[in-house]
Amino acid sequence: MNSTFIIREPTSRKDGVISLALNILVVIAVLYTLYFCRTLMLPIFVAGFIALFSSPLVRFVAGFRVPHALAAALVVLLLIVGLGATFVILVGPAGQWLDSLPALGDKLVAQMNGLSDRFNLFRAQILPDAEGHSGAVGNALETIFFSAFSVVAGTTAMFLIEIVAVFVITYFFLVYGDNLMRNLVRAQSSFAEKKKAVIIFQTVRDDISRYALLISIINIGLGLATACVMALLGVDDPFLWGALAAILNFAPYIGPLVLSIILTGVGFIEYETWGLALMVPGSFLLLNFIESQLVTPTVLGQRFNMNPLLVVLWMFVWGWVWGVIGLLIAIPLLVCFKILSSHLDLIGCWINVLDGDNSCEKR
């Protein structure tokens, strides 16, 4: 009796490679979809975050026997008034500082020329044939400062254009979001699945609301501290710089870097000497170091700790997808993803990569 043995190549490795390739293609497709549909998707995402962050306040107001729809309208109106008042207070000083950019450029060119002349004299003693080109350095610095100011101005313009759509969608999220979740719970087939869905929804909502509250308090504290230090240093419009510090700190590392560049230009406008001028960004960097290395880790703990490398890469991705607004909401998105992954077990032990934990414990 003849028997034929067919030796087959193991396919598990091929299946794993194919699965990984498909996952990468799905991620790329989602990113490009979000990029090309940013005009539609960005207001929805921003409104969803605002609704999620402000839902505790709506529940608090509704606790006084105020109809839920009216409570949501009052909260949205409060947000609009607060945003409008902030814009009215800050737009004037911001415009004045933008108008002072040409003077900053001339001052930088003059100071850099003075330094370059001394450097060229020293270099001429070593390399007699070398020629200095100091004007290019000053012009490059002027371009950097102008670009930094333009980033903030572009953020304000983009926000104002989409503000109506954002707050309208926010209102509907606040009014009908809970009804949608209840319908999703009812759609579950068993009581155990319904109970699990309710627990996950409440836990995720409470965790994200807690994170939003704490990080907002921390950023407001940083803004107030920055405003006080700027006032002590004699810098004009300290509340403007405090507000920018609070807003840009929602984008860790990148936001403070942008504000440091802006404050460097402010220092050169306010003071004549390099030492005093550099005290303006230096004092902010010291405050930011205290906040990022001491205050935030202590208040938030390890639960919301993120790997700094992944944080920067994540912000660059969302900055490419949705611009400056993407940078500001990138970290809340990452926190939401981490919370959802921990409760739904979406990526298994790979969730440890987010906080730099190399251990992979069994769940």
Side-chain angles (χ1 to χ4, degrees):
M1 181 176 181
N2 295 329
S3 60
T4 303
F5 295 94
I6 300 176
I7 300 177
R8 297 182 181 274
E9 183 181 355
T11 59
S12 59
R13 182 177 299 177
K14 292 183 177 179
D15 292 340
V17 172
I18 293 174
S19 176
L20 178 61
L22 290 176
N23 290 334
I24 293 175
L25 290 176
V26 169
V27 171
I28 294 174
V30 170
L31 288 177
Y32 268 95
T33 300
L34 293 174
Y35 175 78
F36 288 110
C37 299
R38 58 185 177 272
T39 305
L40 172 65
M41 301 300 297
L42 184 57
I44 296 175
F45 270 79
V46 174
F49 277 116
I50 295 176
L52 194 60
F53 297 165
S54 58
S55 59
L57 183 57
V58 174
R59 293 195 297 270
F60 175 77
V61 175
F64 294 95
R65 296 185 177 180
V66 178
H68 189 76
L70 179 59
L74 291 175
V75 171
V76 171
L77 180 62
L78 178 64
L79 293 174
I80 293 175
V81 171
L83 180 64
T86 303
F87 177 78
V88 170
I89 293 173
L90 299 181
V91 68
Q96 294 176 1
W97 282 100
L98 287 174
D99 293 337
S100 66
L101 283 178
L104 171 62
D106 296 337
K107 190 172 183 179
L108 285 174
V109 170
Q111 293 194 8
M112 293 305 299
N113 283 339
L115 284 178
S116 297
D117 290 340
R118 290 194 291 269
F119 176 75
N120 290 333
L121 180 61
F122 173 76
R123 187 173 59 175
Q125 296 175 357
I126 301 175
L127 300 173
D129 295 333
E131 296 180 358
H133 301 281
S134 58
V137 178
N139 292 332
L141 287 175
E142 179 185 359
T143 303
I144 292 174
F145 292 129
F146 182 79
S147 299
F149 274 105
S150 298
V151 165
V152 178
T155 303
T156 305
M158 183 185 302
F159 186 79
L160 290 176
I161 291 173
E162 299 181 344
I163 189 172
V164 175
V166 166
F167 281 108
V168 168
I169 299 173
T170 299
Y171 174 77
F172 282 95
F173 267 126
L174 290 173
V175 175
Y176 300 106
D178 289 341
N179 291 335
L180 177 61
M181 292 307 304
R182 282 193 288 267
N183 292 334
L184 292 176
V185 171
R186 293 193 188 100
Q188 304 301 316
S189 58
S190 64
F191 177 78
E193 292 180 351
K194 292 180 180 180
K195 182 178 179 181
K196 181 180 179 181
V198 171
I199 293 175
I200 290 175
F201 169 69
Q202 292 179 346
T203 304
V204 170
R205 181 191 62 188
D206 294 342
D207 285 349
I208 295 176
S209 298
R210 174 175 172 270
Y211 166 81
L213 176 63
L214 292 177
I215 203 67
S216 298
I217 292 174
I218 291 172
N219 290 347
I220 292 173
L222 176 64
L224 292 175
T226 302
C228 292
V229 171
M230 294 299 111
L232 291 175
L233 292 176
V235 178
D236 292 337
D237 304 312
F239 289 107
L240 172 64
W241 313 121
L244 288 179
I247 295 172
L248 294 178
N249 203 51
F250 281 98
Y253 309 112
I254 298 177
L257 176 62
V258 172
L259 185 56
S260 299
I261 296 173
I262 295 175
L263 291 177
T264 302
V266 172
F268 279 106
I269 292 176
E270 293 285 338
Y271 301 105
E272 297 294 334
T273 62
W274 281 74
L276 292 175
L278 293 179
M279 281 183 61
V280 177
S283 59
F284 167 73
L285 288 175
L286 178 60
L287 292 175
N288 181 257
F289 177 82
I290 296 173
E291 174 271 323
S292 61
Q293 301 300 320
L294 298 177
V295 177
T296 298
T298 301
V299 174
L300 294 182
Q302 295 298 319
R303 186 175 186 183
F304 297 109
N305 183 35
M306 298 291 178
N307 187 299
L309 175 60
L310 292 180
V311 166
V312 173
L313 295 177
W314 181 271
M315 286 193 296
F316 271 108
V317 170
W318 287 102
W320 168 75
V321 174
W322 285 342
V324 178
I325 300 298
L327 284 175
L328 296 178
I329 68 172
I331 302 306
L333 275 173
L334 184 58
V335 171
C336 291
F337 175 74
K338 184 178 181 181
I339 293 174
L340 288 172
S341 298
S342 64
H343 290 290
L344 300 178
D345 197 17
L346 298 177
I347 56 177
C349 62
W350 285 96
I351 192 174
N352 293 325
V353 176
L354 296 178
D355 55 12
D357 187 0
N358 293 326
S359 61
C360 184
E361 300 178 356
K362 293 183 180 180
R363 294 180 179 268

